[in-house]
Amino acid sequence: MRLRLLAGLLALSACAEMTRPPPPEPPTELAGGLVAQPLSAILDRAVADFDRGGGGLEGHPAETALAVARLEWLGGEARQGGRLANLPDSYLFGLRRGVQEGRQALAIAPDATPETTVPALLAAYRAIARSDTAAAQAALTGPDFRDTDRPTLNRLREPGPFPDTTLALPTIRDEVARLVADGRINRRVSSEIMDAAITTPELSGGAGR
């Protein structure tokens, strides 16, 4: 009887997983184009963005806007139901620290959400790329972007160092790559939903998510 009940529960769980809609696809600019596995592509590009503490972003405002947009998107994917939600706490803590660095660099409000920050940053990226500074400034104006003594475009030109981001992103990328190689990413959908049963106690002090 217990075995039949357990089998029924497992079947219901599998059915729920099959009918759960995948998370929305990210803007193609974050992955550098339309790719089969956007999460891996975005992680690769984010690691490159923030290599050496993000030193390569200095003097490149468009690239900075795009890099922080990637960071904001990754932070959103750490929320419940996101592609990174079931990574161990140690990884998610590092990602949160990275998101904080990006928000401090561009004076993004702490309670802003990726649903609004990512489109705004991408709009700024596009505007700067076409030399439309007025449109870039307008894109980064509003409740999500605080007024400071430094204009937003100056912050994009000189965002400062990102030490926590530099440390966090390569480990997250490598863990996601390991999960893909081990078949622990749900390949049923193109959105790379993490398997809820993933645990890596050796990396998280026994507290897998």
Side-chain angles (χ1 to χ4, degrees):
M1 179 66 179
R2 288 182 178 178
L3 288 176
R4 286 197 299 270
L5 179 59
L6 178 59
L9 290 174
L10 289 174
L12 286 173
S13 176
C15 183
E17 175 64 25
M18 292 295 290
T19 57
R20 182 185 305 165
E25 291 296 314
T28 56
E29 286 157 303
L30 299 182
L34 188 62
V35 297
Q37 292 186 326
L39 174 59
S40 296
I42 291 169
L43 281 168
D44 285 341
R45 289 177 176 271
V47 169
D49 289 337
F50 296 101
D51 186 35
R52 298 178 293 108
L57 298 175
E58 293 288 324
H60 299 281
E63 288 80 356
T64 299
L66 182 57
V68 177
R70 289 190 180 110
L71 193 56
E72 285 283 309
W73 183 85
L74 289 168
E77 290 303 308
R79 297 174 298 184
Q80 185 175 5
R83 296 166 175 84
L84 300 174
N86 292 298
L87 285 179
D89 288 335
S90 57
Y91 293 93
L92 298 181
F93 175 77
L95 180 55
R96 286 193 294 270
R97 292 288 297 269
V99 171
Q100 288 173 1
E101 283 183 338
R103 292 189 167 198
Q104 289 170 0
L106 300 188
I108 298 174
D111 59 349
T113 66
E115 285 74 20
T116 56
T117 58
V118 172
L121 288 162
L122 288 179
Y125 160 71
R126 299 184 197 110
I128 296 170
R130 64 176 186 268
S131 300
D132 189 345
T133 55
Q137 182 65 53
L140 302 182
T141 300
D144 288 339
F145 297 89
R146 296 172 295 177
D147 292 329
T148 68
D149 57 351
R150 291 183 65 205
T152 303
L153 293 183
N154 286 359
R155 286 178 172 270
L156 286 171
R157 293 187 189 96
E158 299 176 356
F162 295 85
D164 291 333
T165 311
T166 298
L167 290 174
L169 290 179
T171 60
I172 294 171
R173 177 196 59 185
D174 293 348
E175 175 67 358
V176 169
R178 185 185 71 81
L179 295 171
V180 170
D182 290 347
R184 302 296 297 276
I185 297 291
N186 184 350
R187 294 180 180 276
R188 180 178 58 82
V189 294
S190 63
S191 302
E192 309 115 328
I193 300 174
M194 290 292 181
D195 188 303
I198 291 172
T199 57
T200 53
E202 72 278 9
L203 295 175
S204 60
R209 288 173 63 99

